[in-house]
Amino acid sequence: MRESKNFLQTIVEKDLQSGKNKKIITRFPPEPNGFPHIGHAKSIFINFGIARDYNGHCNLRMDDTNPTKEDTKYVEALKDAVEWLGYEWEGNVRFTSDYFSQIYAYAIELIKMGKAYVDSLDEETMREYRGTVTQAGKRSQYANRSIEENLDLFERMKKGEFQEGEHVLRAKIDMSAANMKMRDPLMYRIRNVAHFRTGDEWHIYPMYDFAHCLSDYIEGVSHSICTLEFENNRAIYDWVLDTLALQPPRPYQHEFARLNINYTVMSKRKLLELVENKNVNGWDDPRMPTIAGYRRRGYTPEAIIAFCDQVGIAKANSMVDVSQLEFCIRDNLNPKVPRVMCVLNPLKVTIENYEGNELLDASYYPEDVPKEGSRKLPFSREIYIEREDFEEHPPKAYFRLTPEQPVRLKHGYIIACKEIIKDAAGQVIEIKAEYFPESKSGADTSGIKVKSAIHWVSAAEAKVVEVRLYDRLFSSEIPEGVEDLNPDSLKVIHNALMEPAVVEEKQNERFQFERQGYFYADPLDYTEKNPVYNKIVGLKDSWSKKTTKVVTKPKEKKVQIDGEVTPMTKEQETLFENYTKNLGLNSEVANTLARDAELSSFYEKALSVLNSPINLANIVSNEVAREMKQSQEKTLKFTPKQIAELVKMVDDALISNKIAKQVFEEIVKSGKNPKQIVEEKGLVQISDPTQILPIVDEVIVQNPENVKKFQAGNKKLLGFFVGQVLKATNGKANPKIVNELVNKKLNNLEDLA
Ligand code: ATP
Ligand code: MG
């Protein structure tokens, strides 16, 4: 059980102690209209978890009240997901459709009590009559129908005598209720379509608000746990059960905050769109945030459960950083998976002074992993290394093979480059090398110093494998849908080379490919002839520098890539100390700067022009560092002074951070001064409220529906309005000021109304 109790556990314990409930019965009630996603995993974790923690049970119930969208294939996917996550539902899978007759009987009872009526208003009039948050609604003239007439109409609705939309059944509650949900909510509507389980038996289907509470009651559920959007529906839940005066005990609804993850869409509807548009290869595409997708990619159920546990159960919505999920899978796999070698982008190396071949002893696990096991690694004269592990003209701090710098072959010998062979186009196609017989790993008496160890495979024994590299499906932090897809989310490598032991002995396992990440043999496409491996996750968070906002991210242990992390020199250490202690840089940024003399000198020059250590460090360690690495000619197009000028504009709130990045790209291209670029392109940040206010007004006028929702209490929509205003200004408006203005404006509207 978890260390500290969440609010749901507190409620459950209280209810057990007071004797309100003898047994805890929960349910997980998905609608079978799509594959379950990671948000459902959280709901599964909570519902099944609470039942397990308190010796109760949890039902799996398909909420199949909308026949147009539901399908048995989704039922199967939901069952698979629950089982794979390690839970068992009580008895058979249940279906709301199993209770259609009972629910219908309850509706008749309400009609007989005068508490429900058949309404025949058209949709628009019905909406109009509902009123607004500030104005009471008006009851339909049909509410005066006699009980007999209601019963007759309702029965004929059921039989299919009417068109869809002609009539509905409504509860008779209160058309002036402050809670809009209570203004005579719909209980049944006509749907003249076949249901995947009940066929043509029904022409009416109960609404969620009517069916859900009754299904819970029928199943003897004690705690009906749902997400916060249903907070206002609780009143209907209670009204139905209380009005029918059902034999106790009755269930009670409790709400928790739904899971939101950045860079992820979490709505079956939007996911279905991706599947239908063929933006992905089906629901179980390893890039999908579906349970089936994670499973196929190689995630483990333990990692997903650990993630759900870590993010916790709260009463307020928040956004979780996707890197937290990635952390959980790394954390889960690190102590248990074998390390093997696979070359993704091969470059041939011929070791000219080596004859014959041998088998090297190679442990599957590094020293800090308490697991044992090893394989024989063939070594011979012809090997392949990663193309990126050789540089003819290495940039600063390049620790791998160069014409001057030897390198260790992991588990093997040290080699040095003797000759570079190129093709007609000047591409390096082969390295002629020599090896040092005394340098064998574990018995090295050569005295040769190297800065890193690289992975490799022996040419004759290596197996050709397919490797699928996945990256995030969306490139925007809060993606809307298709328009925010990351075009580089899948990269297929057909001719990767793998050491033989992996393919021969261990097919369906997870591995760490040394220095590349964690991989999983694709459960569907893997064959003896064409082994296919999915990348589960990289060794470290390659996105952490690309995002600025990090929410509740766990501290990650530094990944020590064998041989890659060399100790700092005295000078570097002094710099590092100074950067972290005196200038307040975080250790990652300080580390990047301190280890690179060129970079730190650039940084300090910029710092001598502008005293803004943190903002300068961020741009120097990210954008400037990237440019330094990429620029082939040794001179950069920009100076420390220009970068200082750019950062000053951000500090002075003249431009936003986002615009600063754009300006930087322009500086790199043209070498122009940042001020000039900002002026020429009209990028100056708009901070003047008199300029922003008209845009705020415009956005408010254009989105009446969302204004209504905001006024009805959906305060999350503040972000929507701010976003729209920022969009309308091409990101030039000062977000802080927009926030203030939107807030004021929306709240004043409320006062006026
Ligand atoms: P979607 O919009 O993706 O279809 P939904 O809420 O309509 O989601 P259901 O199938 O009705 O999906 O949900 C089944 C259960 O899972 C519900 O109790 C719902 O509250 C819960 N659930 C759905 N999404 C999330 C989420 N993101 N976080 C936590 N629980 C969720
Ligand atoms: Mg839904």
Side-chain angles (χ1 to χ4, degrees):
M1 214 180 287
R2 282 153 236 126
E3 295 134 38
S4 61
K5 261 177 276 173
N6 62 56
F7 79 95
L8 289 171
Q9 289 172 314
T10 307
I11 291 173
V12 164
E13 286 181 16
K14 209 179 90 220
D15 290 346
L16 282 170
Q17 261 159 27
S18 71
K20 181 171 170 187
N21 301 108
K22 292 207 171 50
K23 189 171 175 190
I24 300 306
I25 303 177
T26 56
R27 84 287 169 268
F28 170 59
E31 185 184 353
N33 61 348
F35 274 52
H37 49 64
I38 183 90
H40 293 108
K42 181 168 176 188
S43 181
I44 291 170
F45 166 77
I46 292 173
N47 281 296
F48 285 91
I50 284 198
R52 187 186 276 176
D53 288 350
Y54 296 95
N55 295 317
H57 70 241
C58 180
N59 295 343
L60 172 59
R61 183 200 312 147
M62 301 297 152
D63 182 25
D64 57 345
T65 52
N66 184 3
T68 54
K69 292 185 181 150
E70 295 156 2
D71 196 288
T72 36
K73 68 171 181 249
Y74 300 133
V75 174
E76 290 311 310
L78 283 154
K79 284 159 65 182
D80 282 350
V82 173
E83 279 176 337
W84 183 71
L85 288 172
Y87 295 107
E88 251 176 78
W89 53 88
E90 162 85 9
N92 293 328
V93 175
R94 294 146 207 257
F95 294 83
T96 303
S97 57
D98 290 340
Y99 315 133
F100 278 174
S101 303
Q102 273 163 286
I103 295 171
Y104 180 73
Y106 283 126
I108 290 185
E109 224 172 291
L110 284 178
I111 295 174
K112 287 184 178 162
M113 295 164 86
K115 295 287 187 187
Y117 61 95
V118 174
D119 196 1
S120 312
L121 291 179
D122 61 86
E123 214 176 307
E124 211 188 312
T125 316
M126 202 179 290
R127 193 177 316 124
E128 209 177 286
Y129 278 21
R130 187 163 286 136
T132 65
V133 243
T134 48
Q135 261 180 341
K138 176 176 150 192
R139 187 160 271 159
S140 160
Q141 62 268 33
Y142 300 107
N144 299 323
R145 280 175 168 147
S146 69
I147 290 174
E148 288 68 35
E149 193 184 352
N150 279 321
L151 288 173
D152 174 60
L153 281 170
F154 189 47
E155 191 184 346
R156 287 163 59 201
M157 282 164 67
K158 169 182 182 257
K159 286 187 185 150
E161 289 185 21
F162 304 110
Q163 300 294 311
E164 294 191 1
E166 234 179 299
H167 306 289
V168 293
L169 185 75
R170 298 178 75 170
K172 202 177 210 171
I173 307 182
D174 180 2
M175 287 306 291
S176 55
N179 177 356
M180 300 269 296
K181 299 262 178 191
M182 292 292 272
R183 298 187 183 176
D184 291 11
L186 265 55
M187 294 160 64
Y188 268 94
R189 63 183 168 176
I190 299 173
R191 278 273 181 278
N192 290 316
V193 288
H195 184 280
F196 77 104
R197 294 188 77 241
T198 58
D200 297 328
E201 194 184 337
W202 296 87
H203 290 267
I204 51 171
Y205 292 91
M207 304 299 291
Y208 170 89
D209 282 323
F210 190 53
H212 201 81
C213 52
L214 288 170
S215 305
D216 284 346
Y217 175 75
I218 292 166
E219 290 180 8
V221 166
S222 61
H223 295 78
S224 180
I225 300 165
C226 64
T227 38
L228 279 176
E229 321 80 271
F230 294 96
E231 206 168 356
N232 286 336
N233 302 59
R234 192 191 330 124
I236 313 180
Y237 190 101
D238 291 338
W239 182 90
V240 171
L241 298 181
D242 291 344
T243 306
L244 284 166
L246 299 167
Q247 180 87 20
R250 54 154 283 200
Y252 286 87
Q253 178 183 308
H254 305 275
E255 308 90 21
F256 70 96
R258 68 190 290 120
L259 174 66
N260 298 306
I261 307 183
N262 60 2
Y263 296 99
T264 309
V265 303
M266 245 192 280
S267 136
K268 282 179 270 164
R269 184 179 55 76
K270 286 187 182 169
L271 295 174
L272 175 64
E273 226 171 80
L274 299 176
V275 172
E276 286 181 338
N277 283 343
K278 302 213 177 334
N279 299 116
V280 293
N281 302 312
W283 284 101
D284 67 346
D285 186 304
R287 291 167 292 176
M288 288 281 270
T290 53
I291 314 254
Y294 289 115
R295 180 177 180 179
R296 178 151 181 204
R297 179 145 169 184
Y299 270 71
T300 58
E302 298 80 41
I304 291 183
I305 296 289
F307 171 72
C308 292
D309 202 3
Q310 259 184 28
V311 300
I313 300 168
K315 267 233 164 250
N317 282 316
S318 67
M319 179 73 76
V320 174
D321 198 292
V322 65
S323 60
Q324 196 167 341
L325 178 60
E326 293 162 355
F327 168 84
C328 287
I329 183 65
R330 268 186 222 113
D331 197 45
N332 182 239
L333 297 180
N334 175 50
K336 59 183 189 200
V337 303
R339 273 61 170 173
V340 299
M341 298 201 279
C342 180
V343 175
L344 300 184
N345 186 9
L347 174 64
K348 186 169 157 186
V349 176
T350 305
I351 303 164
E352 294 189 300
N353 61 339
Y354 188 88
E355 295 297 338
N357 49 56
E358 67 186 289
L359 289 172
L360 302 168
D361 263 326
S363 165
Y364 273 132
Y365 304 98
E367 268 163 22
D368 58 347
V369 168
K371 271 193 92 171
E372 309 241 320
S374 64
R375 79 286 192 188
K376 297 285 180 202
L377 199 57
F379 178 69
S380 61
R381 183 183 165 85
E382 267 185 22
I383 63 168
Y384 285 97
I385 65 169
E386 208 71 64
R387 190 163 279 279
E388 293 77 40
D389 286 341
F390 173 77
E391 278 291 346
E392 187 177 5
H393 306 290
K396 283 271 156 65
Y398 186 85
F399 295 148
R400 295 160 277 170
L401 188 64
T402 75
E404 277 80 42
Q405 182 170 270
V407 77
R408 172 173 299 283
L409 298 175
K410 176 95 191 173
H411 300 300
Y413 298 92
I414 293 174
I415 57 167
C417 171
K418 304 279 290 175
E419 193 187 339
I420 306 169
I421 315 287
K422 295 181 180 175
D423 64 11
Q427 252 253 76
V428 178
I429 50 170
E430 187 186 341
I431 304 292
K432 304 268 189 210
E434 68 173 329
Y435 90 114
F436 302 96
E438 265 76 64
S439 68
K440 190 165 173 175
S441 190
D444 183 355
T445 55
S446 70
I448 300 167
K449 289 246 179 317
V450 290
K451 291 194 179 127
S452 76
I454 60 173
H455 60 279
W456 57 277
V457 292
S458 172
E461 291 86 357
K463 306 276 180 198
V464 177
V465 298
E466 178 178 328
V467 174
R468 297 176 183 167
L469 301 175
Y470 299 106
D471 200 347
R472 292 181 185 163
L473 184 53
F474 294 99
S475 49
S476 126
E477 179 150 16
I478 303 171
E480 291 290 331
V482 182
E483 64 273 24
D484 295 316
L485 283 167
N486 171 10
D488 301 319
S489 60
L490 170 62
K491 196 171 146 209
V492 181
I493 296 178
H494 291 283
N495 299 310
L497 295 173
M498 172 81 99
E499 60 165 286
V502 183
V503 180
E504 278 159 14
E505 305 169 19
K506 317 221 165 198
Q507 291 189 6
N508 280 307
E509 274 188 50
R510 296 170 178 86
F511 301 94
Q512 184 188 108
F513 290 2
E514 298 265 12
R515 304 170 63 227
Q516 307 277 12
Y518 293 95
F519 288 79
Y520 181 55
D522 187 276
L524 293 186
D525 295 343
Y526 185 104
T527 61
E528 299 262 306
K529 244 182 105 193
N530 183 35
V532 178
Y533 292 93
N534 294 327
K535 179 167 181 178
I536 307 169
V537 68
L539 291 179
K540 49 186 168 185
D541 183 0
S542 59
W543 281 64
S544 62
K545 285 185 180 169
K546 295 186 198 168
T547 61
T548 42
K549 206 179 72 202
V550 176
V551 194
T552 56
K553 193 174 155 195
K555 277 244 159 17
E556 189 159 358
K557 269 185 274 161
K558 259 234 152 55
V559 184
Q560 297 257 340
I561 300 169
D562 195 19
E564 285 252 281
V565 181
T566 43
M568 284 190 191
T569 63
K570 273 256 146 51
E571 283 158 39
Q572 291 173 341
E573 250 170 44
T574 317
L575 278 181
F576 183 84
E577 290 276 294
N578 179 33
Y579 290 166
T580 48
K581 295 226 171 96
N582 303 329
L583 301 181
L585 308 189
N586 73 37
S587 54
E588 194 182 348
V589 170
N591 184 45
T592 309
L593 296 178
R595 279 181 183 273
D596 188 322
E598 200 182 348
L599 215 51
S600 55
S601 131
F602 189 103
Y603 173 60
E604 290 184 11
K605 277 184 200 144
L607 202 56
S608 70
V609 181
L610 176 74
N611 184 18
S612 179
I614 295 180
N615 290 345
L616 276 174
N618 283 339
I619 189 165
V620 174
S621 67
N622 286 303
E623 280 78 13
V624 174
R626 186 194 71 212
E627 280 312 311
M628 273 189 188
K629 258 189 213 139
Q630 283 172 1
S631 70
Q632 297 298 359
E633 334 100 85
K634 292 273 165 188
T635 51
L636 293 168
K637 272 212 169 147
F638 51 89
T639 61
K641 194 162 160 260
Q642 282 174 311
I643 298 304
E645 199 178 294
L646 177 62
V647 171
K648 183 158 188 331
M649 284 193 280
V650 178
D651 289 352
D652 293 348
L654 218 57
I655 57 173
S656 67
N657 249 316
K658 197 168 166 188
I659 296 288
K661 298 229 159 93
Q662 203 179 315
V663 175
F664 178 81
E665 302 309 327
E666 193 57 40
I667 300 175
V668 170
K669 262 193 254 147
S670 65
K672 279 187 190 163
N673 270 338
K675 271 219 181 94
Q676 193 186 347
I677 296 169
V678 168
E679 271 160 27
E680 277 175 12
K681 303 212 158 191
L683 297 174
V684 174
Q685 175 158 273
I686 309 171
S687 298
D688 178 0
T690 57
Q691 271 188 62
I692 300 175
L693 259 178
I695 306 171
V696 174
D697 286 337
E698 180 76 17
V699 167
I700 287 179
V701 169
Q702 278 169 3
N703 294 283
E705 280 302 311
N706 281 341
V707 171
K708 262 192 222 151
K709 285 186 202 156
F710 180 87
Q711 290 174 330
N714 186 351
K715 302 291 173 198
K716 277 189 307 191
L717 282 170
L718 189 69
F720 163 81
F721 287 105
V722 171
Q724 291 295 309
V725 174
L726 289 177
K727 210 167 175 181
T729 61
N730 290 324
K732 285 190 290 183
N734 180 326
K736 224 176 117 198
I737 294 176
V738 173
N739 226 310
E740 276 167 26
L741 292 176
V742 168
N743 216 334
K744 241 193 227 151
K745 198 84 199 182
L746 284 172
N747 287 315
N748 281 343
L749 280 183
E750 212 159 31
D751 291 347
L752 292 176

